[in-house]
Amino acid sequence: IYLQIIIDERCGTLDKIIISGGQKLKGKVSISGAKNAAVAILPAAALSDGVCRIENVPNIRDITLMCRILSDMGAKIKLVNKNTIEIDPRKMSSSSAPCDLMRNMRASCYLLGVLLGKFSEAYVYLPGGCNFGLRPIDQHLKGFAALGAEYALENGMVKVQCEKLVGTHIYLDVVSVGATVNIMLAAVKADGITVIENAAKEPHIVDLANFLNCMGADIIGAGTDVIKVRGVKKLRGVTYSIIPDQIEAGTYMAAAAATRGDIVVENVIPKHLESITAKLEEMGVKFEEYNDSIRVYCDKPLKKCNVKTMPHPGFPTDMQPQITALLSTVEGTSMVNEAVWDNRFKYVEELHRMGAKISVDGKVAVIEGVKKLQGAPVKATDLRAGAALIIAGLAASGQTTVEEIQHIERGYEDIVEKLVNLGAHIKRVSCKTEENEVAGL
Ligand code: EPU
């Protein structure tokens, strides 16, 4: 039975997460599949000539949204269970993607590469997603043009068309995850060989390439800065399991460190976490590494440090807010330099409400560690900012109420349940529940 995907409407904008801080996290947490791999792999399945069964898919709002977009375009989507999705794209006929949904997520731009590869044309609304400054797609478009497509921007829509795509040499001006993914998606069925130079090397790029190769694609070099894609005529349906989420794992590690706790983070690939564990180790956080899990604990006071975000294998920008929240609990002056995005410190204002001492000058934050953060009402300004506020709330004394949690639920599966299992005093209050509580029901 193919189910119609229904967007989970539980999360209204008035829902909140309430934290009573001060508990050291203890116990085990299992990491879900990687959001940024899943949001590329699900649309990539639309290039297949058969049914794809994707396992270890995180159960988050961005995935629900991607399924809804694919479903609206004619793909059959079956939810096998909470984390397994089957996609049958054989009846897809539309080369344009539904507009209102596209505006809500960045990864919807991957439909450009997919539809161009599948139908030789794509009409897609400009993507949305977290707002931290300009998020251009010029490198995506440069790649499509090099492959032989023409593009135009009209009324907020991107139109891309071609007679046929022909493999070529593309040198990216900036290291871009999105452009690397989109060019791979368009090139996989193009004529001849496409070489992407200065490509992004993130684990989710490798995961996408592995998925496409399982389907019969011919991609080598993913994980290095030169990726070669030899176009193939057909791609078959496969069963594939998504890698664990490096950023979700890093977020729980930072939360353990901020509460000076002792946790085991399970279902991870330790190699993917090295830039994060190296930085936390510099701060004095201790690790014990196993095959697919890591124990994270603190046995003495943490030390200040400096962080600069970089494309992989550098320290990930998607861990920048979380590490800043952690450093605001560490004595001394630390510096965090955001080198990927122009404007990713908006959440600092919210941390100020909790007593953090952080000054931001452009892309650099200077953090004076405080003895104790204090609970306060705060708003998640985007996904990772929301995670940072939860970390701060767990470390703070008193009660923190995080609003705008729809941002957090875009990317973290069962975050409240996972933290409760680690001993945190945290709950999610839906607007309805709260009204009932007020009414004494
Ligand atoms: N850039 C350009 N031109 C382009 C594309 C990017 O100048 O055509 C610039 C951007 O302005 C930015 C830099 O290149 O300064 C990197 O952007 P990139 O394209 O790599 O980012 P993205 O693909 O839009 C993905 C993740 C983000 C993550 C970045 C960087 C997904 C769906 N999103 O975005 O994840 O921050 O890579 O690693 O994969 C998150 O998960 O919270 C998140 C925001």
Side-chain angles (χ1 to χ4, degrees):
I1 313 153
Y2 286 94
L3 301 176
Q4 171 81 35
I5 300 293
I6 298 162
I7 293 244
D8 179 0
E9 296 295 354
R10 271 182 324 145
C11 186
T13 48
L14 294 175
D15 294 354
K16 297 168 188 170
I17 289 175
I18 300 177
I19 307 162
S20 261
Q23 313 298 317
K24 287 178 192 277
L25 296 188
K26 282 194 177 2
K28 294 178 178 172
V29 60
S30 179
I31 297 307
S32 301
K35 168 181 91 81
N36 288 346
V39 294
I41 285 173
L42 261 57
L47 286 167
S48 151
D49 302 298
V51 180
C52 288
R53 181 184 173 104
I54 325 272
E55 299 170 347
N56 204 32
V57 181
N59 185 14
I60 51 176
R61 287 169 68 78
D62 268 9
I63 292 301
T64 314
L65 208 51
M66 182 57 86
C67 287
R68 174 75 188 278
I69 292 172
L70 291 169
S71 163
D72 279 6
M73 295 172 66
K76 285 185 178 170
I77 311 286
K78 179 180 176 184
L79 295 176
V80 179
N81 60 46
K82 188 180 171 199
N83 299 107
T84 303
I85 294 178
E86 273 181 17
I87 301 178
D88 180 352
R90 288 174 295 187
K91 297 259 167 62
M92 270 178 83
S93 54
S94 170
S95 58
S96 85
C99 100
D100 52 326
L101 300 173
M102 299 287 291
R103 294 211 184 98
N104 293 324
M105 70 185 299
R106 176 70 177 173
S108 55
C109 71
Y110 294 157
L111 290 164
L112 279 172
V114 168
L115 296 175
L116 191 60
K118 196 175 171 73
F119 299 120
S120 299
E121 60 179 19
Y123 302 94
V124 167
Y125 274 81
L126 279 171
C130 291
N131 175 11
F132 22 73
L134 273 184
R135 296 190 72 173
I137 56 165
D138 56 296
Q139 298 302 304
H140 307 224
L141 298 175
K142 168 178 150 166
F144 298 147
L147 287 163
E150 289 183 349
Y151 63 85
L153 299 177
E154 284 171 21
N155 307 320
M157 271 187 97
V158 190
K159 295 189 178 190
V160 194
Q161 282 171 309
C162 64
E163 285 285 320
K164 66 173 180 180
L165 294 171
V166 181
T168 185
H169 213 95
I170 300 161
Y171 198 105
L172 295 177
D173 299 335
V174 291
V175 181
S176 160
V177 169
T180 305
V181 166
N182 240 340
I183 295 168
M184 275 166 66
L185 292 171
V188 76
K189 281 181 156 178
D191 280 359
I193 299 176
T194 302
V195 180
I196 311 169
E197 299 228 36
N198 200 24
K201 299 183 282 230
E202 270 67 5
H204 32 286
I205 301 280
V206 180
D207 208 30
L208 172 65
N210 287 342
F211 171 66
L212 291 167
N213 282 341
C214 284
M215 291 204 292
D218 184 353
I219 303 173
I220 57 170
T224 75
D225 48 19
V226 182
I227 299 179
K228 287 189 184 149
V229 185
R230 187 189 295 269
V232 295
K233 290 269 175 285
K234 276 188 140 328
L235 293 172
R236 58 182 169 268
V238 289
T239 296
Y240 189 82
S241 184
I242 288 174
I243 52 164
D245 196 308
Q246 98 189 110
I247 304 300
E248 189 197 14
T251 301
Y252 286 102
M253 288 176 177
T259 60
R260 313 303 190 254
D262 183 349
I263 70 170
V264 179
V265 185
E266 296 183 324
N267 184 32
V268 292
I269 299 174
K271 178 87 190 143
H272 292 172
L273 300 172
E274 278 173 356
S275 60
I276 303 169
T277 49
K279 203 33 89 178
L280 292 174
E281 248 170 356
E282 202 180 312
M283 294 171 63
V285 179
K286 296 283 170 51
F287 292 95
E288 279 170 19
E289 196 176 301
Y290 304 94
N291 279 345
D292 62 357
S293 63
I294 298 190
R295 178 180 168 211
V296 188
Y297 63 101
C298 298
D299 59 5
K300 49 182 184 225
L302 299 184
K303 295 173 289 204
K304 69 191 172 79
C305 76
N306 297 335
V307 180
K308 183 171 184 178
T309 66
M310 305 277 276
H312 190 81
F315 188 88
T317 171
D318 295 341
M319 277 298 299
Q320 180 262 99
Q322 302 90 313
I323 201 94
T324 301
L326 166 60
L327 287 170
S328 62
T329 70
V330 175
E331 198 184 327
T333 307
S334 302
M335 278 208 328
V336 173
N337 186 334
E338 172 55 59
V340 176
W341 295 110
D342 287 339
N343 189 5
R344 205 173 189 173
F345 283 118
K346 278 193 236 151
Y347 65 90
V348 163
E349 252 179 61
E350 303 300 309
L351 285 178
H352 285 161
R353 295 180 209 281
M354 302 180 70
K357 290 197 181 143
I358 305 172
S359 58
V360 177
D361 186 3
K363 292 166 87 170
V364 178
V366 178
I367 305 149
E368 290 288 342
V370 295
K371 281 224 152 34
K372 199 79 188 159
L373 293 170
Q374 294 133 33
V378 289
K379 283 197 172 95
T381 48
D382 64 61
L383 167 61
R384 309 300 173 189
L389 295 172
I390 289 185
I391 291 172
L394 293 169
S397 58
Q399 182 171 300
T400 297
T401 306
V402 185
E403 294 177 12
E404 309 280 347
I405 62 170
Q406 71 279 7
H407 293 297
I408 300 171
E409 294 182 345
R410 275 189 45 218
Y412 287 93
E413 177 171 342
D414 295 339
I415 189 165
V416 170
E417 291 81 351
K418 289 184 185 186
L419 287 169
V420 166
N421 282 337
L422 291 172
H425 292 178
I426 179 168
K427 64 177 178 179
R428 184 188 191 290
V429 182
S430 82
C431 177
K432 211 168 134 207
T433 318
E434 195 182 37
E435 275 165 13
N436 287 346
E437 275 175 7
V438 171
L441 298 172

